[in-house]
Amino acid sequence: MSVTFLLALSVASPMRAEEADARKVLKAMSDYVTGQQHVQLKYDVDIEVITPHLEKLQFASSGEAALSRPDKLRVTRTGGYTDVELVFDGKTVTVLGKDSNTFAQIELPGSLDQMIDRLRAEHSIEMPGADLLLSNMYDELIAGVIEAKHIGHGVVDGIECEHLAFRNQETDWQLWVERGPAPIPRKYVITSKTMAAAPQYTLRIKSWDTDTPPDAKSFAFAPPQGAKAVEFNALADVGELPAPAEALKE
């Protein structure tokens, strides 16, 4: 056996173990999360935007989410430029723009997964963090991965986590997964490699509750007083980016 081959083994084996560890932690997290019938959580989001002058700006928002599998979801997102709520009752998706007091509804009967897929495909609403809510989360996250690493340990909001890193053709993404019997995602970072200055999307899970089922009323939409119904494409600020950031890209 040649010295070169021995050296190759000494380098390649840890790399294979590192990738296997990353996939193992990701699978354990996915199995745990998708096994929860009810989830209520609070989150923070940071979104980076690159201006035409290559200035990197960051926009912050916070929100809450409640879901009951397989077909109920309510999400809020509030930032300095927008205040939006999405409600899905298994048949209809409603998006409310609280600042403008306008709402739009579309019929999307089916599961939570089907609703998210159709919003992305038919209405260009990406919702990157929604990947962590899908029933086939592991398959969705691992699809297209060309490199996986178990970086080590990290601490997010005082909670010790496993730090994972993955690479696709167009993005790099990282996950911090809480250590212990409840391996939930605590931080999720997506870095775009197709844009100058590589802007990032960062999601932090601030609280996570699977013991308290959401009230059934959480998934029933009641228009606020004076709210006006509009076409779905007439709603402003339903995506992750605030309007000023969109203007900066023009």
Side-chain angles (χ1 to χ4, degrees):
M1 183 178 292
S2 71
V3 174
T4 301
F5 183 59
L6 287 173
L7 288 174
L9 283 177
S10 68
V11 173
S13 295
M15 290 298 291
R16 286 197 297 270
E18 185 179 77
E19 179 168 353
D21 286 348
R23 290 174 178 264
K24 181 179 179 180
V25 174
L26 182 65
K27 186 65 164 61
M29 181 205 75
S30 302
D31 289 347
Y32 178 81
V33 172
T34 57
Q36 306 306 309
Q37 182 66 29
H38 308 286
V39 178
Q40 296 190 75
L41 60 88
K42 296 181 180 180
Y43 67 92
D44 291 336
V45 168
D46 296 323
I47 307 162
E48 292 183 345
V49 173
I50 311 303
T51 74
H53 301 289
L54 298 184
E55 179 182 10
K56 182 179 287 189
L57 301 177
Q58 188 176 84
F59 295 87
S61 60
S62 297
E64 299 181 5
L67 71 88
S68 288
R69 301 187 191 278
D71 61 359
K72 303 289 190 297
L73 178 68
R74 189 181 201 103
V75 181
T76 66
R77 180 171 60 86
T78 303
Y81 306 95
T82 187
D83 193 353
V84 176
E85 184 173 61
L86 180 148
V87 182
F88 177 56
D89 63 4
K91 297 179 180 179
T92 303
V93 176
T94 304
V95 179
L96 170 67
K98 295 182 180 180
D99 289 337
S100 61
N101 203 24
T102 58
F103 68 95
Q105 293 182 313
I106 49 177
E107 297 298 318
L108 287 179
S111 67
L112 179 62
D113 293 16
Q114 291 169 325
M115 182 273 291
I116 291 172
D117 287 344
R118 289 189 61 183
L119 283 183
R120 288 171 167 172
E122 299 174 16
H123 301 281
S124 300
I125 298 179
E126 290 298 328
M127 300 189 298
D131 291 339
L132 303 180
L133 305 178
L134 298 174
S135 63
N136 59 341
M137 183 202 309
Y138 180 79
D139 293 336
E140 288 291 328
L141 289 175
I142 209 68
V145 166
I146 57 177
E147 185 177 321
K149 294 179 181 178
H150 184 193
I151 302 298
H153 297 164
V155 176
V156 178
D157 292 329
I159 298 171
E160 190 171 1
C161 299
E162 303 287 358
H163 181 193
L164 313 178
F166 301 86
R167 309 200 78 185
N168 295 330
Q169 291 293 342
E170 297 183 350
T171 63
D172 293 339
W173 54 279
Q174 301 174 72
L175 268 175
W176 284 257
V177 178
E178 182 172 336
R179 302 187 73 195
I184 66 173
R186 284 292 176 179
K187 185 177 177 181
Y188 182 34
V189 177
I190 303 172
T191 304
S192 174
K193 298 188 290 188
T194 61
M195 298 178 63
Q200 292 184 328
Y201 170 97
T202 302
L203 170 70
R204 294 180 183 84
I205 306 296
K206 308 296 289 186
S207 69
W208 180 280
D209 179 8
T210 58
D211 296 325
T212 309
D215 191 309
K217 295 180 181 178
S218 298
F219 310 110
F221 177 75
Q225 185 175 0
K228 179 182 178 182
V230 298
E231 293 297 322
F232 199 84
N233 58 10
L235 282 170
D237 302 332
V238 297
E240 293 281 355
L241 287 177
E246 292 284 3
L248 286 170
K249 295 166 64 177
E250 294 178 356

